[in-house]
Amino acid sequence: MGDGIEIRELLGVRVQRRRSGYLSTTSSCTALPLGAHTSTASLTNPHKLRAVAGQRDYHLAVMLRRFSPYRGRRLRWDEALFERMAMTRVASYLGQRVGPRFDKAVIPRTNGRLSTMGLNKIGIVTTVGAKSGRLRRQPLALINDGRGLLAIGSNFGREKHPGWSSNLLAHPDCTVELSGPPVRHRAELLAGAERDAAWATANDFYAGYENYRRNCAPRQIRIFRLQPSTDDRRAEASRSEV
């Protein structure tokens, strides 16, 4: 440029270099993903920036109004902002401590529709305890992939599998309260190509799942597909047409 300023942008960080050798950075993004701690010195090093970009390649998709194949369109501004906010430490804490209590109280009172994520995003899955044999109610984000409801055992990126996933392994039969009254379902643990496809759908639904995967490694996140039981398939189909 005419004033001797060279501008490069890597991972949303603008780097300005002047002829005097002075180097400064200004961030064009709101924040790095959860768990990313980058010093000022590393931000001034293009090689380290490229390394961060490789490790956090999904972050650019979160920052932008990315195209979502699952939705068949670009994210709306409210969806992009919600997704970005959901990846903060505060949202993670609220999701673990406050969200389940709220959803357990509100979802049954709104016929399975309203939750902390808005309309028809979170359902209450009732399982049978693997050890206790007692009924356990757990609000879960459920993703309709056209073949059933995907339940992702991310456990917010923690080291251990969530208890509800162990319950489903021991007792696959469960009930799901989402967009209507509770319906009996049967859970299937996905593996191989089916799991890969489901994981891609989950990451498109919410880009933060990739961050959970990295945080909980080497644990592999369990992915279940919940399908209506034979007796309830007809009722489920008729309700989806309404």
Side-chain angles (χ1 to χ4, degrees):
M1 297 178 63
D3 58 356
I5 300 177
E6 177 187 354
I7 299 178
R8 291 178 296 173
E9 291 194 7
L10 293 172
L11 196 60
V13 178
R14 177 173 296 175
V15 182
Q16 297 182 348
R17 187 184 300 275
R18 299 179 183 273
R19 286 183 181 143
S20 62
Y22 174 76
L23 184 65
S24 64
T25 63
T26 57
S27 176
S28 61
C29 64
T30 55
L32 288 175
L34 181 63
H37 301 284
T38 307
S39 64
T40 303
S42 65
L43 289 177
T44 61
N45 188 324
H47 298 290
K48 290 185 178 180
L49 282 171
R50 292 190 183 94
V52 173
Q55 296 169 1
R56 301 286 190 265
D57 53 351
Y58 75 98
H59 182 53
L60 287 177
V62 177
M63 290 166 48
L64 305 175
R65 286 185 58 213
R66 59 184 175 85
F67 178 80
S68 167
Y70 174 78
R71 299 171 177 83
R73 55 174 173 77
R74 295 176 68 87
L75 266 65
R76 301 190 306 266
W77 283 111
D78 63 308
E79 293 173 331
L81 290 173
F82 183 87
E83 182 175 71
R84 189 68 189 92
M85 291 175 60
M87 296 176 67
T88 64
R89 294 181 184 274
V90 173
S92 179
Y93 175 84
L94 294 176
Q96 297 177 55
R97 304 295 183 182
V98 181
R101 297 180 182 179
F102 178 89
D103 290 332
K104 285 181 181 179
V106 172
I107 290 176
R109 289 172 171 78
T110 59
N111 200 28
R113 300 184 183 279
L114 182 62
S115 68
T116 50
M117 288 182 62
L119 294 175
N120 304 321
K121 297 290 182 61
I122 294 180
I124 293 182
V125 178
T126 302
T127 62
V128 177
K131 297 180 179 180
S132 67
R134 298 179 179 178
L135 295 180
R136 304 295 187 187
R137 299 169 66 244
Q138 180 65 43
L140 297 175
L142 299 172
I143 308 168
N144 190 334
D145 70 342
R147 298 177 57 189
L149 300 174
L150 299 178
I152 315 299
S154 63
N155 204 17
F156 295 92
R158 289 180 284 193
E159 293 182 0
K160 295 183 178 180
H161 293 291
W164 61 263
S165 68
S166 299
N167 295 346
L168 288 179
L169 288 177
H171 307 285
D173 292 316
C174 61
T175 61
V176 176
E177 189 172 3
L178 176 68
S179 304
V183 176
R184 287 177 295 175
H185 282 65
R186 187 171 180 83
E188 174 193 4
L189 180 66
L190 301 183
E194 276 197 309
R195 185 193 179 279
D196 293 341
W199 179 248
T201 299
N203 273 282
D204 184 29
F205 179 80
Y206 172 53
Y209 279 126
E210 176 63 15
N211 203 32
Y212 294 152
R213 182 191 67 81
R214 299 182 184 200
N215 289 341
C216 74
R219 174 175 76 88
Q220 185 182 62
I221 293 175
R222 293 170 177 167
I223 303 178
F224 294 86
R225 178 178 286 119
L226 312 181
Q227 294 180 310
S229 301
T230 305
D231 295 340
D232 289 347
R233 287 182 185 275
R234 194 170 300 174
E236 178 75 5
S238 62
R239 189 170 68 228
S240 63
E241 294 174 357
V242 177

